[in-house]
Amino acid sequence: SIQFNIGIASSELKDYEGAKAAYRKALDIKPDYQEAALNLSGVYIDEGNAIIEEMNQLGNSQADVKKYNELAEKREKIYYQAAGILEDYVKSSGVKNTDILTQLKQIYGALSDTENFTRIKEMLGE
């Protein structure tokens, strides 16, 4: 769809908000659009990864440690938003797609969320 392609182009330009809006529109038009759900979640992951890069550039001063902790909290919220998109897709579509579940497992692994990581592994039959 056009919205999906706009999402891809926006993602490549690191226009996270534009990409999110385009993928959401694609999902509004076709709620079972798996690639749009994966890519929307991926935009949040990219946004969270950019925060990690910023965190890695900080030093050890008290101000930097404070900033690091704030960024870590922000990254965690963004990753949980990424997971929420995929969880909602699975609930609404009833489809337990391997690609969706694998990405969910990776997100929960990055968050050290053992409970959800294990739940998704079981859904994957691992």
Side-chain angles (χ1 to χ4, degrees):
S1 81
I2 292 173
Q3 292 302 323
F4 183 80
N5 291 334
I6 291 170
I8 291 172
S10 297
S11 290
E12 289 174 0
L13 296 170
K14 297 202 183 317
D15 174 9
Y16 299 128
E17 296 310 312
K20 289 178 202 174
Y23 288 131
R24 281 193 186 101
K25 285 180 187 172
L27 285 166
D28 286 344
I29 295 165
K30 185 179 175 194
D32 63 343
Y33 198 163
Q34 172 192 314
E35 291 83 7
L38 277 168
N39 285 12
L40 177 57
S41 176
V43 171
Y44 282 93
I45 293 168
D46 290 345
E47 193 175 9
N49 290 344
I51 290 172
I52 292 173
E53 291 174 23
E54 189 178 345
M55 291 165 65
N56 290 338
Q57 294 173 4
L58 295 170
N60 294 321
S61 72
Q62 191 172 1
D64 281 350
V65 170
K66 182 179 184 221
K67 179 73 173 171
Y68 182 94
N69 291 335
E70 289 169 359
L71 289 171
E73 188 176 311
K74 182 178 179 182
R75 179 192 65 93
E76 181 177 287
K77 286 179 184 173
I78 290 170
Y79 282 175
Y80 273 114
Q81 287 176 305
I85 290 158
L86 300 179
E87 292 278 9
D88 289 346
Y89 177 85
V90 171
K91 285 177 193 162
S92 68
S93 70
V95 175
K96 293 181 177 151
N97 177 281
T98 304
D99 293 337
I100 297 276
L101 295 177
T102 299
Q103 188 160 310
L104 255 176
K105 182 181 78 169
Q106 291 169 344
I107 294 167
Y108 289 134
L111 287 164
S112 300
D113 183 337
T114 307
E115 182 180 331
N116 281 312
F117 181 83
T118 303
R119 176 178 59 86
I120 300 301
K121 273 186 72 163
E122 289 171 1
M123 289 173 77
L124 282 163
E126 296 178 357

